[in-house]
C-alpha cells in the first residue's frame, strides 16, 4: 500500500485522563517495526474492561492512552520478519497473545503467553519500549497491546489472528473478547458435561455467552442470576432456563440456589467482577464436586474469601482469561463456527454507532439494555 513505511495521520478517541470524556484527535501512527503489524481498524466494540481502565480503577491504566481491544480490521503493512500475516489480510487483534515459543505457550496447560506482556502491560511495544502513537510529538500509550479506538493501530505479530476474509468484520469483531470469554469458560475451563446444572451470575454479554456455551454443552438447567429482572427475557434466547433475582429473597443467594438444586449446582460462573458475588458463586456449588469459575475482573486490591472447609469438602475455585482460548490458533476457528451458524454473534449487538459517538457508546455500556455497541471506525 502507498502508506507502507510512512507515518499515518488518522483519527482516534484519546483518553487524556481518567474519567474525562474521550477526545477525537488527529494522531500520528508510526510504521511497524520488526515483529509488528499495522492494522486499519474498521469496526470496534466496547467492553467493560475499556470502561474499567478509563474509570481510573485499573492499576495498569496509563494516560493519555488509546483504549479498545475488541475489534476487526485489515492489515495495512507489516514489519521485518513478519510472515504469518500480510497486507490485505483480514484480522482480529488479540489482547491475549500467542507466541508458541514461551514457557506458557509450550506448557500445553494454559492459553496465557509471556512474550510481550512486559511491554503491553506498560502501554508500549516490545522492540524499543516506545509507543507507535503520538500527537504532535507527544507519545500516547497503547492499551492491552491492541488500542482499537484508533483508525490505525500497531500490534505485535503474536497478537493478531488472521481470519476468513468472507466473515463480516462488523460482526466478528466481537470475537476479540467477550463472546469467546464466556464460551471458553464453559468449554475449556470448566468443561461442563451434558446434564449438568449451571448457575450464571451476571447476564451481560459474557454471562449470556456462558449460557450459550452451557446450552451447547447440553446442560440440563441453566440458572441466570441478576439484580435486573429486565434482562431475563433476552437471556432465554441464549439458553437460560430459569431466573433468580437476589433482591426477591431474604436468604443469601447461595442458600437460595442450594435449596433450588437439591444441594447445589455442578458449575457456577461469576461474570461481574464482584468479590462478594464470587464467594456466593463458590458456595452455591454442590459439595464434593461443584466447580466455580471466576470470569469477571474485580477492581484492583480486592480480595476473595470463603471458609477453607468449602474447598476441603470438594468444591473447586478456578479462573479464566479469554475463556482459555489460544488466540491466534482458535479465534479463526470461532469465526468459522460463526460462519456455519454454530455460535451466535449478531444477537449480542444491540447498538451501532460511529467513532465520533464514542462517549455516547460509553454511556450506553452502563445501561442494562446495551450488550455490545459496535462502532464504525471509518465514518
Amino acid at each position: 500500500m502507498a502508506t507502507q513505511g510512512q507515518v499515518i495521520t488518522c483519527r482516534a478517541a484519546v483518553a487524556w485522563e481518567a474519567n474525562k470524556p474521550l477526545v477525537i484527535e488527529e494522531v500520528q501512527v508510526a510504521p511497524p517495526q520488526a515483529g509488528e503489524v499495522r492494522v486499519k481498524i474498521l469496526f470496534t466494540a466496547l467492553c467493560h474492561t475499556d470502561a474499567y481502565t478509563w474509570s481510573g480503577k485499573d492499576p495498569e491504566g496509563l494516560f493519555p492512552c488509546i483504549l479498545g481491544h475488541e475489534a476487526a480490521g485489515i492489515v495495512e503493512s507489516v514489519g521485518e520478519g513478519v510472515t504469518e500475516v500480510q497486507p490485505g489480510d483480514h484480522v482480529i487483534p488479540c489482547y491475549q497473545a500467542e507466541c508458541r515459543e514461551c514457557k506458557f505457550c509450550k506448557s500445553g496447560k494454559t492459553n496465557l503467553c509471556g512474550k510481550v506482556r512486559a511491554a503491553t502491560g506498560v502501554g508500549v511495544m516490545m522492540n524499543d519500549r516506545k509507543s507507535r502513537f503520538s500527537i504532535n510529538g507527544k507519545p500516547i500509550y497503547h492499551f492491552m497491546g491492541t488500542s482499537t479506538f484508533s483508525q490505525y493501530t500497531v500490534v505485535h505479530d503474536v497478537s493478531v489472528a488472521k481470519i476468513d476474509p468472507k466473515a463480516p468484520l462488523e460482526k466478528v469483531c466481537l470475537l476479540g473478547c467477550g463472546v469467546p470469554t464466556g464460551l471458553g469458560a464453559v468449554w475449556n475451563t470448566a468443561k461442563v458435561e451434558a446434564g449438568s446444572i449451571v448457575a450464571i451470575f451476571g447476564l451481560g454479554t459474557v454471562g449470556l455467552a456462558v449460557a450459550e456455551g452451557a446450552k451447547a454443552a447440553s446442560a440440563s438447567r441453566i440458572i441466570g442470576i441478576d439484580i435486573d429482572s429486565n434482562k431475563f427475557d433476552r437471556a432465554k434466547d441464549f439458553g437460560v432456563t430459569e431466573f433468580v433475582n437476589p433482591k426477591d429473597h431474604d436468604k443469601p443467594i447461595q442458600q437460595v440456589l442450594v435449596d433450588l438444586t437439591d444441594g447445589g449446582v455442578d458449575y457456577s460462573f461469576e461474570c461481574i467482577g464482584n468479590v462478594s458475588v464470587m464467594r456466593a458463586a463458590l458456595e452455591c456449588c454442590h459439595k464434593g464436586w461443584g466447580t466455580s469459575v471466576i470470569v469477571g475482573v474485580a477492581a484492583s486490591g480486592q480480595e476473595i474469601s470463603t471458609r477453607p472447609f468449602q474447598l476441603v469438602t470438594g468444591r473447586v475455585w478456578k479462573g479464566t482469561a479469554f475463556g482459555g482460548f489460544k488466540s491466534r490458533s482458535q479465534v479463526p476457528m470461532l469465526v468459522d463456527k460463526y460462519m456455519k451458524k454454530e455460535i451466535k454473534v449478531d444477537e449480542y449487538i444491540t447498538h451501532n454507532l460511529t467513532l465520533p459517538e464514542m462517549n455516547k457508546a460509553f454511556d450506553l455500556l452502563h445501561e442494562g439494555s446495551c450488550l455490545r455497541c459496535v462502532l464504525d471506525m471509518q465514518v
Side-chain angles (χ1 to χ4, degrees):
M1 295 187 181
T3 48
Q4 208 162 343
Q6 310 292 315
V7 172
I8 291 177
T9 297
C10 67
R11 289 185 305 161
V14 177
W16 285 103
E17 50 187 306
N19 256 327
K20 294 283 171 70
L22 304 189
V23 182
I24 307 302
E25 303 275 14
E26 295 278 314
V27 302
Q28 285 75 52
V29 185
Q33 296 188 11
E36 298 173 4
V37 180
R38 189 159 60 181
V39 179
K40 180 179 186 177
I41 298 293
L42 296 184
F43 297 94
T44 190
L46 266 69
C47 166
H48 282 276
T49 310
D50 300 308
Y52 167 65
T53 299
W54 172 71
S55 74
K57 293 176 187 162
D58 180 355
E60 284 192 352
L62 296 163
F63 297 93
C65 72
I66 296 172
L67 297 165
H69 66 284
E70 191 173 278
I74 298 174
V75 174
E76 174 271 337
S77 61
V78 300
E80 184 188 331
V82 175
T83 56
E84 296 204 17
V85 294
Q86 58 189 27
D89 283 348
H90 287 212
V91 293
I92 291 177
C94 301
Y95 68 87
Q96 186 57 69
E98 183 194 352
C99 73
R100 302 172 183 150
E101 297 164 353
C102 71
K103 181 180 181 182
F104 292 96
C105 286
K106 283 181 167 173
S107 72
K109 296 178 179 182
T110 180
N111 67 323
L112 301 180
C113 170
K115 184 167 183 186
V116 296
R117 183 74 183 85
T120 58
V122 292
V124 295
M125 300 300 286
M126 197 75 191
N127 245 350
D128 57 0
R129 291 298 203 276
K130 290 180 180 171
S131 173
R132 302 291 169 262
F133 297 112
S134 60
I135 296 179
N136 302 323
K138 178 180 170 59
I140 308 293
Y141 287 112
H142 294 248
F143 169 70
M144 289 178 77
T146 51
S147 289
T148 63
F149 291 173
S150 175
Q151 291 177 319
Y152 286 85
T153 189
V154 177
V155 300
H156 298 98
D157 62 350
V158 294
S159 303
V160 65
K162 179 180 172 180
I163 63 165
D164 180 352
K166 296 188 290 295
L169 298 179
E170 71 274 15
K171 309 292 188 193
V172 297
C173 57
L174 266 60
L175 296 175
C177 181
V179 173
T181 297
L183 294 175
V186 177
W187 297 343
N188 302 324
T189 307
K191 298 184 169 65
V192 170
E193 310 93 349
S196 300
I197 301 174
V198 170
I200 304 163
F201 291 79
L203 296 175
T205 298
V206 175
L208 294 178
V210 168
E212 186 189 347
K215 183 181 180 182
S218 303
S220 62
R221 294 172 70 185
I222 303 172
I223 305 166
I225 301 109
D226 203 291
I227 54 172
D228 181 357
S229 297
N230 295 324
K231 293 183 179 178
F232 293 167
D233 266 351
R234 179 164 63 197
K236 288 176 190 166
D237 299 333
F238 291 85
V240 174
T241 57
E242 51 203 284
F243 306 96
V244 180
N245 186 332
K247 289 180 172 177
D248 296 340
H249 300 271
D250 297 326
K251 285 189 286 193
I253 187 63
Q254 49 266 61
Q255 191 57 50
V256 173
L257 292 164
V258 166
D259 295 345
L260 264 178
T261 54
D262 185 28
V265 303
D266 300 307
Y267 297 95
S268 72
F269 298 85
E270 200 278 356
C271 305
I272 302 164
N274 178 313
V275 292
S276 62
V277 178
M278 291 172 189
R279 178 173 191 158
L282 175 78
E283 294 177 0
C284 77
C285 285
H286 203 289
K287 185 176 176 177
W289 63 78
T291 294
S292 185
V293 181
I294 294 174
V295 190
V297 177
S300 122
Q302 298 278 299
E303 296 183 352
I304 51 173
S305 62
T306 190
R307 289 181 302 120
F309 196 65
Q310 292 284 336
L311 302 181
V312 170
T313 50
R315 294 170 194 82
V316 176
W317 222 346
K318 297 178 115 172
T320 189
F322 196 54
F325 283 116
K326 290 211 169 241
S327 57
R328 288 199 293 156
S329 306
Q330 293 185 292
V331 166
M333 172 271 292
L334 290 169
V335 170
D336 294 343
K337 274 184 169 297
Y338 164 72
M339 295 297 278
K340 293 176 190 161
K341 297 189 165 42
E342 291 173 11
I343 59 170
K344 297 180 193 293
V345 171
D346 303 24
E347 292 83 354
Y348 295 92
I349 301 170
T350 52
H351 298 79
N352 290 276
L353 295 173
T354 60
L355 172 58
E357 298 173 294
M358 181 66 76
N359 288 302
K360 181 182 175 186
F362 268 94
D363 291 340
L364 283 169
L365 194 63
H366 297 295
E367 292 177 12
S369 62
C370 178
L371 290 177
R372 279 296 188 261
C373 178
V374 174
L375 300 168
D376 185 330
M377 291 296 290
Q378 299 297 325
V379 170

